[in-house]
Amino acid sequence: MIIVAKIAVIIAALLLSAVVTARLGFFKFGKTILGSLGKKPATLMYPVVPREWEERTRGSVSIDGDNCIACGICANACPTNAIDIDKAEGKWTIQRMQCIQCSACVDGCPKKCLTMENLYTIPDVVKVVDSFDIPKKAPKGAKKDAPADDGDLTCADSCVFCGLCAKACPADAIKVDRKAKLWEVNTEDCVKCGACIDKCPKGSLSFGGAAAPAEDAGDDDGDLTCADSCVFCGLCAKACPADALEVNRKEKLWKVNTEDCIKCGACIDKCPKGSLSFGGAAADAEPAAPAEPPKKSIASVKDGECIGCNACVNQCPEEAIPPVEENEWNLEEDKCIGCGACVDVCPVDAISMKEV
Amino acid sequence: MIIKSIIGIVAFLVLGPFVGGILAGLDRKLSAKMQRRVGPPVLQPFYDVGKLFQKEKQTPTRFQDFYVLLFVVFVIASGVLFFMGGDLLLVIFTLTIGAAFLIIAAYSSNSPYAEVGAERELLAMLAYEPMVLITVIGFYMYTGSFKVSDILAGDSMPFLPLLGIFFGWLFILTLKFRKSPFDLSMSHHAHQELVRGVTTEFVGRTMGWVEISHWYENVFLLGVVFLFFANGTALGWIIGIVVAILTYFFEVFIDNCFARMKWQFAFKSAWIVAVVLGMINIFVLYVCF
Amino acid sequence: MAKRTIVPFGPQHPVLPEPIHLDLVLEDETVVEAIPSIGYIHRGLEKLCEIKDFEQMVYVVERICGICSFGHGWGACASMEGALGVEIPERAEYLRTILHELGRVHSHLLWLGLMADGFGFESLFNHCWRIRETVLDLFEKNTGGRVVFSICKPGGMRKDISNENLQEMVTVLNGLKAEIKEVTDAFIYDKSVQNRMTGVGVLTKEEAMELCAVGPTVRGSGVRQDIRLTGDHGVYKELDFEPCVEEAGDCMARTVVRIREVFQSIELIEKAVAKIPDGPVDVKVPKKVEGEFAIRLEQPRGEAFYYAKGQGTKFLKRMRVRTPTNINIPALVKMLAGADLADVPILVLTIDPCISCTER
């Protein structure tokens, strides 16, 4: 009996003190605190327990050295000068502790060989410098027989101001104004990556002084004409930087707006049938429309040679080739217009045109 | 009797810092749990002190070490006196002298942070001393002796008759442990306006000794809690030890539930508690026994 | 006259998150005078903006401060866009507003934690920061960075955030509300916290106006002032924005303003996500800057000012940033005079000081 009374007194005292403190407004956070005792810690024993990274987490920059063209855009884009490129030695170097993971280099890379990895650089007591091998760079202009790599980018007189070079420039260093017949390079911005040289349909661009010999593409003076072999595939219109071409397959219409045409020749390179030329005869730009194509030819593939790369599927302007599965190459014959675009892209030369 | 005292002394001297350190480690682990952190290993306080002893010796004045030495000696002495069953009145005055030496050591450094901390520590002492005295008087009135050994040998638990005093003691334990809301003179982590208050200027070995004597002090203070339940039986021992440990964890809980208050609040509330809980309890004892 | 002591407070002081130096002249424990001095982390970022391409400089301006990083990025972009004469797409403007408000949530939660630490409430501090982690995770998921986001660029945003992700952001934030309330209730209703904050550091309406205080500091003194009201930036006009104002002018009022702003920001995000139009998130900008432009932005800490001047090249002639802490220091000095030494950390924190913003 006495023990019960004692316990009752203790409990009453505890309750009383609890009520008094709570009434005074203390222990407002007590519930959260006691509740936390039963919960797992919110912190992680990093790095012993690895973290889960988000897809966009910017940790550190890595490079796929094989694709690098040592253009230097990344080094230029870096706000903290963390990246160095030694073209002659073939080294791409990043000072990890200087890098601020802004990802400006990754955005700027024209070859997409830089990627932002999730994982941070491991902390260290020294300033980590990472070096990667990249292909040693032969003078980029060499394949166009340009005299030197060191020179600034120049454009020969053969320029038609098509503007393809400006579009290709990853550094936005080239300015082309077709109307004003203006071609300008900002040598400060130019990173000499050579992307423009590859694109130029006239081969007018080079690094340094002498212009590449302008190829004499026959009688250049005439207007663009299209031969009867035209299948109205429309690839020429897609390639035209000046939007001077109009092709309508249904109406069998091929039209060039000679005023807009800048005679860059980009369409000639693209035409799968080789029908285009700067023909002498300034003929009526409309080839014999009513004339039926003499014979219809369609693509066919040699048995067992298709490797299923799907290059032709992507190239076909008419989507006449369904995706190749298990090297089973098919053609929807009624869709095929016989342009031959697939023949050109096939890497194993398995496709040829046959007449039907 | 003498053998018992010697056992008590040796046990306190050897086990005191060990138990105190483990309790400090559990405190940190429990606090971490309450804050949803992982927290350090339980033995972390020992690692910390071990590291402190390896540090370079640097003090602003050479007297400081002397005062700290006296602090350590007196704190340990008060614990020794307590656990050998000595006079409770002597024990608390020894402890007060020890605390006074810590304050003098803080003053001797001439650092503004330590000085302000020392001033606050003095005020804190003023705040808790009445309740400490009342506790001792309460024990005397109930058991008729100041001697710890006599109280231990008593045949009934002093807890219930001294209920008010027990709660009062719990209250000033927060001040003595320097837990929030009363960590105003010296907080556990140097994150207050006074950096670390009293102990700001202590470094290395000196700091290590201060830490160890705090462990001794904590064990002694919990020993007093244990005293409330001593009735000479095994059950009293078990209840006493369990309640003492629970008390410590309750202090940790309070630490996590309060902002740091100013000395005015500490002073006022401690005296109110002393007067209300302590005095009424003494009065009841006077009337009933 | 009582003996005067001078306590050197900072720049290295455990209670200060950032280096500011205060010479506190004490009489006993009362501060008679506080003499501030800054200049410990001047990094010359404004000058740095003149030597690199202006588009890259956004990343530098963002790093003025780790907490209001998004606002700085936005301010820099907006001033450059103004100088370039570029209009950014509406979706980008919405995304910026959403991220800015999300930044306010994380900044205020961080501040609440620091404040709790300032008055010695460690568990509250840790819980505030635990909640803040969730907001940082949202940032990481959507922008790729936890504190420095690098998602603004002159002309819009570098990356779009899909509508699903925005919706998820709203769901997560709404789920957080209960937890935030649990923590903020402890700030408002706990007696020991009230004891430390109510009536401390009172700044009257007149004083606040006179000392040109900005942000929650001035709103805590009963002044309805918020740059978001002007509609210069963001889409606040479409979101029925009304600033949180408290009348008392003490530390508690300023804390309550920030607590209310946390919830308000979550609401603003929800409204903006409901209204966000589809479309592109960036436009191409010219490569060369000419002209000049200035814009004001409401940062979590108050009004910030950005000025960009071009010189016809890709380099800026001048980039100027004025940050809220800079303007709030006079108010701080005013509050410190006559305060208790024990209140100094609370008062310093109450203006939400960001010294690295101040010095750049």
Side-chain angles (χ1 to χ4, degrees):
Chain A
M1 210 45 213
I2 297 169
I3 289 179
V4 175
K6 279 181 178 176
I7 292 172
V9 169
I10 295 169
I11 291 174
L14 284 174
L15 277 178
L16 186 73
S17 49
V19 168
V20 167
T21 45
R23 284 294 294 181
L24 285 173
F26 295 112
F27 293 107
K28 285 286 179 215
F29 203 47
K31 222 177 90 187
T32 316
I33 300 262
L34 288 180
S36 302
L37 279 176
K39 287 179 188 152
K40 259 174 54 182
T43 48
L44 198 66
M45 295 293 275
Y46 183 82
V48 181
V49 181
R51 255 203 79 192
E52 270 180 39
W53 305 104
E54 300 291 349
E55 190 198 328
R56 283 186 173 178
T57 304
R58 294 192 306 270
S60 54
V61 183
S62 75
I63 183 169
D64 171 16
D66 297 340
N67 286 339
C68 180
I69 52 168
C71 65
I73 290 178
C74 46
N76 263 4
C78 182
T80 55
N81 299 335
I83 301 176
D84 272 316
I85 293 174
D86 193 332
K87 288 181 189 177
E89 286 290 314
K91 287 275 179 222
W92 187 89
T93 314
I94 181 164
Q95 298 179 40
R96 292 288 182 197
M97 303 308 178
Q98 200 146 324
C99 171
I100 55 173
Q101 288 98 28
C102 66
S103 170
C105 49
V106 179
D107 288 1
C109 182
K111 285 287 176 186
K112 300 285 166 244
C113 60
L114 291 177
T115 40
M116 191 46 102
E117 303 284 340
N118 286 155
L119 209 64
Y120 299 115
T121 306
I122 309 290
D124 209 326
V125 288
V126 290
K127 297 200 168 178
V128 182
V129 179
D130 280 345
S131 204
F132 298 90
D133 285 327
I134 53 172
K136 283 184 194 172
K137 199 159 176 214
K140 178 72 191 178
K143 71 175 183 187
K144 298 267 183 198
D145 291 329
D149 185 31
D150 342 337
D152 286 336
L153 185 71
T154 52
C155 187
D157 295 343
S158 52
C159 179
V160 290
F161 308 102
C162 67
L164 283 175
C165 49
K167 270 188 200 156
C169 181
D172 285 344
I174 305 178
K175 200 173 148 192
V176 179
D177 192 330
R178 198 173 304 135
K179 288 209 182 95
K181 299 233 181 289
L182 173 80
W183 183 96
E184 234 178 35
V185 63
N186 183 343
T187 45
E188 235 175 65
D189 283 347
C190 174
V191 291
K192 299 193 181 166
C193 65
C196 50
I197 297 178
D198 293 347
K199 277 278 180 220
C200 182
K202 306 296 279 183
S204 325
L205 291 174
S206 66
F207 287 118
E215 294 143 53
D216 226 347
D219 31 4
D220 232 11
D221 315 326
D223 283 337
L224 186 68
T225 54
C226 186
D228 292 347
S229 54
C230 179
V231 292
F232 309 101
C233 68
L235 286 175
C236 50
K238 271 185 202 158
C240 180
D243 289 335
L245 289 170
E246 194 192 334
V247 180
N248 191 326
R249 193 170 308 118
K250 287 208 180 100
E251 293 171 16
K252 302 225 187 293
L253 172 81
W254 183 97
K255 214 165 110 177
V256 63
N257 183 342
T258 43
E259 261 172 40
D260 283 350
C261 177
I262 49 171
K263 299 186 184 172
C264 66
C267 51
I268 299 179
D269 295 347
K270 271 281 174 203
C271 181
K273 304 296 276 184
S275 324
L276 293 173
S277 64
F278 292 115
D284 188 4
E286 208 164 321
E292 286 289 317
K295 269 174 195 164
K296 187 174 179 184
S297 44
I298 59 165
S300 73
V301 71
K302 284 179 217 153
D303 282 343
E305 285 195 15
C306 177
I307 54 168
C309 71
N310 280 326
C312 50
V313 178
N314 295 329
Q315 188 67 20
C316 181
E318 275 302 282
E319 296 175 5
I321 308 172
V324 181
E325 275 166 26
E326 292 171 11
N327 300 352
E328 197 68 40
W329 191 89
N330 289 308
L331 178 73
E332 294 175 25
E333 288 186 16
D334 47 334
K335 276 193 188 171
C336 179
I337 51 167
C339 67
C342 46
V343 178
D344 294 347
V345 293
C346 184
V348 288
D349 294 329
I351 308 178
S352 57
M353 302 302 289
K354 69 170 190 231
E355 288 181 4
V356 283
Chain B
M1 197 63 211
I2 293 173
I3 292 172
K4 244 185 169 178
S5 309
I6 291 173
I7 291 173
I9 294 169
V10 174
F12 175 69
L13 284 181
V14 177
L15 290 179
F18 182 69
V19 173
I22 293 279
L23 278 177
L26 285 174
D27 170 0
R28 293 174 69 170
K29 197 82 189 168
L30 194 67
S31 287
K33 264 277 182 198
M34 286 174 170
Q35 298 163 5
R36 299 279 301 274
R37 289 186 285 121
V38 175
V42 175
L43 294 180
Q44 188 64 41
F46 296 105
Y47 306 147
D48 289 349
V49 168
K51 189 178 170 191
L52 282 173
F53 274 92
Q54 289 167 10
K55 290 222 165 185
E56 193 186 347
K57 201 171 153 61
Q58 267 188 330
T59 40
T61 55
R62 59 203 166 91
F63 296 109
Q64 194 184 45
D65 284 351
F66 175 64
Y67 295 132
V68 170
L69 177 72
L70 286 176
F71 163 67
V72 175
V73 168
F74 275 97
V75 166
I76 295 176
S78 67
V80 165
L81 281 172
F82 180 82
F83 281 94
M84 67 181 270
D87 193 326
L88 209 48
L89 212 51
L90 182 61
V91 169
I92 61 150
F93 281 115
T94 318
L95 189 68
T96 309
I97 292 173
F101 276 117
L102 183 67
I103 292 168
I104 295 173
Y107 267 122
S108 73
S109 69
N110 254 333
S111 147
Y113 293 124
E115 262 185 38
V116 179
E119 274 167 25
R120 289 189 185 174
E121 181 67 23
L122 273 175
L123 290 161
M125 271 174 84
L126 270 181
Y128 65 69
E129 281 304 328
M131 192 61 226
V132 175
L133 268 178
I134 287 172
T135 309
V136 176
I137 293 166
F139 274 114
Y140 172 74
M141 287 180 72
Y142 183 67
T143 57
S145 168
F146 279 120
K147 278 191 84 80
V148 175
S149 52
D150 291 348
I151 299 169
L152 276 174
D155 46 7
S156 70
M157 257 189 214
F159 171 62
L160 215 47
L162 300 182
L163 194 63
I165 290 179
F166 178 74
F167 278 106
W169 181 258
L170 275 192
F171 187 86
I172 61 155
L173 267 190
T174 319
L175 267 162
K176 291 292 287 179
F177 284 151
R178 298 191 182 82
K179 295 274 186 203
S180 243
F182 302 130
D183 51 351
L184 42 104
S185 69
M186 167 190 141
S187 68
H188 282 258
H189 5 137
H191 245 227
Q192 64 168 335
E193 65 275 13
L194 297 181
V195 187
R196 211 167 186 273
V198 179
T199 52
T200 305
E201 301 300 325
F202 300 162
V203 267
R205 190 177 290 267
T206 320
M207 189 64 200
W209 275 112
V210 171
E211 283 292 313
I212 290 175
S213 44
H214 277 148
W215 295 346
Y216 275 117
E217 196 182 352
N218 289 355
V219 171
F220 155 68
L221 292 168
L222 291 176
V224 177
V225 174
F226 166 74
L227 212 54
F228 281 95
F229 297 92
N231 63 355
T233 64
L235 185 71
W237 275 77
I238 292 168
I239 295 178
I241 289 172
V242 169
V243 172
I245 291 169
L246 283 181
T247 308
Y248 191 76
F249 291 146
F250 180 62
E251 292 297 336
V252 175
F253 172 63
I254 288 185
D255 186 32
N256 276 297
C257 277
F258 275 93
R260 182 184 305 117
M261 310 307 286
K262 293 190 213 169
W263 68 264
Q264 290 92 334
F265 180 86
F267 196 76
K268 237 189 306 182
S269 57
W271 276 67
I272 289 173
V273 166
V275 169
V276 174
L277 292 177
M279 285 304 194
I280 291 177
N281 202 164
I282 295 277
F283 183 73
V284 170
L285 281 179
Y286 180 74
V287 171
C288 300
F289 294 88
Chain C
M1 198 174 83
K3 194 186 127 207
R4 288 196 167 188
T5 334
I6 294 179
V7 174
F9 198 77
Q12 302 289 327
H13 193 291
V15 88
L16 290 174
E18 286 181 71
I20 180 173
H21 177 81
L22 292 166
D23 275 320
L24 300 174
V25 185
L26 294 186
E27 266 177 21
D28 293 331
E29 273 206 40
T30 311
V31 180
V32 184
E33 198 186 353
I35 304 153
S37 52
I38 56 172
Y40 295 95
I41 41 165
H42 176 67
R43 290 155 294 166
L45 292 184
E46 281 182 2
K47 192 71 190 163
L48 194 62
C49 291
E50 293 163 24
I51 61 162
K52 271 262 177 185
D53 194 336
F54 74 94
E55 280 190 316
Q56 295 160 19
M57 266 17 263
V58 178
Y59 311 127
V60 171
V61 176
E62 270 185 336
R63 279 162 176 80
I64 285 177
C65 171
I67 308 304
C68 31
S69 153
F70 185 81
H72 284 307
W74 186 1
C77 290
S79 58
M80 288 168 191
E81 282 153 11
L84 291 163
V86 173
E87 281 271 322
I88 68 163
E90 210 183 347
R91 187 177 172 86
E93 200 72 76
Y94 264 93
L95 284 178
R96 285 182 182 183
T97 310
I98 290 168
L99 287 176
H100 192 52
E101 289 306 315
L102 196 59
R104 194 181 309 277
V105 174
H106 109 82
S107 170
H108 281 347
L109 281 173
L110 172 120
W111 177 84
L112 284 170
L114 288 176
M115 192 69 177
D117 193 43
F119 51 68
F121 206 146
E122 285 84 13
S123 56
L124 198 51
F125 157 67
N126 276 309
H127 279 278
C128 284
W129 280 37
R130 172 177 61 78
I131 297 170
R132 174 174 170 260
E133 280 304 304
T134 320
V135 182
L136 292 188
D137 286 343
L138 280 180
F139 268 124
E140 186 178 352
K141 185 176 170 63
N142 291 310
T143 69
R146 291 178 75 77
V147 282
V148 185
F149 313 121
S150 301
I151 195 171
C152 259
K153 68 172 184 189
M157 307 291 279
R158 290 171 76 194
K159 284 175 189 154
D160 194 2
I161 301 175
S162 70
N163 285 338
E164 293 82 60
N165 278 1
L166 289 173
Q167 210 55 53
E168 191 206 326
M169 185 193 284
V170 172
T171 320
V172 171
L173 286 174
N174 278 333
L176 268 189
K177 269 183 183 171
E179 279 189 76
I180 299 176
K181 187 157 176 13
E182 213 171 274
V183 167
T184 52
D185 274 359
F187 274 94
I188 304 175
Y189 301 115
D190 193 278
K191 188 79 181 167
S192 67
V193 179
Q194 280 177 356
N195 189 307
R196 290 307 303 277
M197 293 209 295
T198 313
V200 172
V202 177
L203 197 67
T204 62
K205 192 170 180 172
E206 290 71 35
E207 281 167 347
M209 300 278 268
E210 196 179 316
L211 294 168
C212 304
V214 293
T217 312
V218 76
R219 288 198 285 279
S221 296
V223 184
R224 184 175 171 274
Q225 189 233 54
D226 195 311
I227 301 303
R228 284 175 286 177
L229 279 173
T230 62
D232 281 356
H233 63 294
V235 289
Y236 294 103
K237 267 186 186 159
E238 280 109 82
L239 304 178
D240 308 323
F241 169 75
E242 180 58 36
C244 306
V245 179
E246 289 285 325
E247 297 295 330
D250 57 0
C251 283
M252 190 50 122
R254 290 186 278 275
T255 309
V256 173
V257 165
R258 289 187 173 101
I259 289 173
R260 284 174 55 198
E261 278 185 1
V262 170
F263 292 105
Q264 187 191 38
S265 291
I266 295 179
E267 260 171 47
L268 286 176
I269 291 171
E270 202 175 345
K271 280 188 208 164
V273 169
K275 281 189 173 179
I276 190 165
D278 285 329
V281 290
D282 60 343
V283 290
K284 219 172 151 69
V285 295
K287 282 275 161 190
K288 296 185 168 81
V289 207
E290 231 155 339
E292 54 186 332
F293 198 75
I295 188 164
R296 291 184 300 167
L297 220 67
E298 184 72 17
Q299 290 271 29
R301 296 174 164 81
E303 170 196 329
F305 168 90
Y306 301 86
Y307 169 75
K309 183 178 167 68
Q311 52 183 354
T313 66
K314 61 179 178 173
F315 304 109
L316 290 177
K317 190 169 176 66
R318 182 83 170 97
M319 177 84 213
R320 166 80 176 128
V321 183
R322 193 190 68 169
T323 56
T325 309
N326 202 7
I327 320 166
N328 275 336
I329 285 181
L332 168 66
V333 173
K334 166 85 184 103
M335 284 188 263
L336 280 174
D340 240 7
L341 175 62
D343 290 331
V344 170
I346 303 178
L347 290 175
V348 172
L349 284 167
T350 196
I351 64 161
D352 201 353
C354 179
I355 310 302
S356 48
C357 279
T358 310
E359 298 179 7
R360 300 172 301 278

